[in-house]
């Protein structure tokens, strides 16, 4: 099977990363496909199994760990496991496409380490922690406790930005989308 490229987008939640990733996926000539992660957390809002995530229970998730089915996995929040199944790469490469990951910073760097030549690791940075908190509140999908948990995690995640190939500051979404497009188009040239 011919290997495609790997694009890792990592960022604290509330950075606008998911919006940027969706925009790129819609650009058909980039030939990108989304690596659907597995998670043990419950679906939020309109999330669909097999589209946003593979929603597994904790036992199923652990069974996949045991069988070494994951390229990387992490317990991102207490009892909330997230991971990339090896089968996702095969699925997407066999379609002749490049893989896009929307995953946490540690997972993202882990992928980069396993595929150093093929991976472009992009860190999407919110303009500030305050702005990020404001965006999370605006989304109205998380409890106050979850928001504070995410903010604490973000402060730690920002310290990893320097380990990525590129830092993309998202203070203007249209500009950030265009920059992301150019980075990807350049890397697959
Ligand atoms: P959320 O619950 O908001 O969808 O995601 C929580 C965190 O888990 C985010 O930082 C997200 O990027 C991360 N995440 C999602 N999928 C994966 C994955 O496959 N592996 C890792 N390591 N983190 C992931």
């Amino acid at each position: 099977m011919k290997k495609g490229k790997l694009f890792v987008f990592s960022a604290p939640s509330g950075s606008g990363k998911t919006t940027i990733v969706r925009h790129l996926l819609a650009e058909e000539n980039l030939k990108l496909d989304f690596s659907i992660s597995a998670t043990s957390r419950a679906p939020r809002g309109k999330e669909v199994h097999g589209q946003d995530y593979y929603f597994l229970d904790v036992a199923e998730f652990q069974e996949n760990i045991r069988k070494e089915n994951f390229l990387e996995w992490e317990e991102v929040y207490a009892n909330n496991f997230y991971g990339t199944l090896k089968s996702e790469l095969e699925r997407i490469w066999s379609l002749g496409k490049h893989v896009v990951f929307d995953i946490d910073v540690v997972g993202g760097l882990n992928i980069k380490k396993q595929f150093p030549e093929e991976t472009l690791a992009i860190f999407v940075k919110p303009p500030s922690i305050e702005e990020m908190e404001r965006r999370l509140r605006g989304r109205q999908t998380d409890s106050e406790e979850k928001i504070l948990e995410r903010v604490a995690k973000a402060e730690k995640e920002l310290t990893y930005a320097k380990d990525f190939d590129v830092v993309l500051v998202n203070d203007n979404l249209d500009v950030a989308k265009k920059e992301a497009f150019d980075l990807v188009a350049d890397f697959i040239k």
Side-chain angles (χ1 to χ4, degrees):
M1 188 196 328
K2 195 174 167 295
K3 277 195 207 167
K5 302 284 186 207
L6 305 175
F7 295 97
V8 166
F9 285 85
S10 295
S13 44
S15 63
K17 165 190 63 166
T18 303
T19 311
I20 293 170
V21 166
R22 287 210 185 112
H23 166 74
L24 294 176
L25 289 167
E27 295 279 344
E28 280 179 18
N29 46 1
L30 292 178
K31 290 199 172 152
L32 304 177
D33 203 350
F34 182 64
S35 164
I36 302 163
S37 295
T39 182
S40 67
R41 80 152 163 78
R44 266 202 308 254
K46 291 199 180 107
E47 287 179 332
V48 176
H49 176 79
Q51 189 176 313
D52 300 284
Y53 281 106
Y54 300 113
F55 293 102
L56 308 180
D57 59 34
V58 174
E60 285 171 322
F61 200 100
Q62 283 169 340
E63 177 68 5
N64 279 289
I65 295 174
R66 201 183 58 73
K67 289 187 175 155
E68 299 188 353
N69 288 342
F70 286 110
L71 201 58
E72 60 79 36
W73 65 270
E74 268 183 277
E75 189 172 5
V76 175
Y77 304 107
N79 243 327
N80 281 351
F81 293 88
Y82 293 81
T84 306
L85 291 161
K86 291 176 183 167
S87 54
E88 280 301 284
L89 293 195
E90 289 151 26
R91 177 179 74 77
I92 294 169
W93 282 344
S94 70
L95 297 170
K97 292 187 166 181
H98 308 287
V99 188
V100 172
F101 300 89
D102 177 347
I103 69 179
D104 115 309
V105 289
V106 176
L109 292 172
N110 199 339
I111 303 262
K112 172 86 192 170
K113 208 169 17 167
Q114 296 186 57
F115 298 94
E117 296 303 315
E118 297 89 350
T119 305
L120 184 69
I122 300 168
F123 188 93
V124 183
K125 202 173 165 185
S128 66
I129 289 278
E130 293 73 27
E131 173 60 16
M132 189 200 115
E133 202 170 332
R134 203 184 62 74
R135 289 180 190 173
L136 284 177
R137 292 224 158 75
R139 202 158 81 174
Q140 294 185 327
T141 50
D142 292 303
S143 64
E144 182 61 22
E145 187 197 345
K146 278 271 180 256
I147 289 171
L148 294 179
E149 192 179 30
R150 281 165 195 274
V151 168
K153 183 168 185 278
E155 284 171 346
K156 182 159 172 262
E157 285 179 326
L158 288 174
T159 66
Y160 289 90
K162 62 179 188 331
D163 300 323
F164 281 71
D165 296 316
V166 189
V167 176
L168 187 67
V169 180
N170 178 19
D171 49 12
N172 176 314
L173 191 57
D174 288 329
V175 174
K177 280 178 180 171
K178 167 88 174 59
E179 282 175 6
F181 179 93
D182 291 344
L183 286 167
V184 170
D186 219 44
F187 198 71
I188 59 182
K189 242 194 247 157

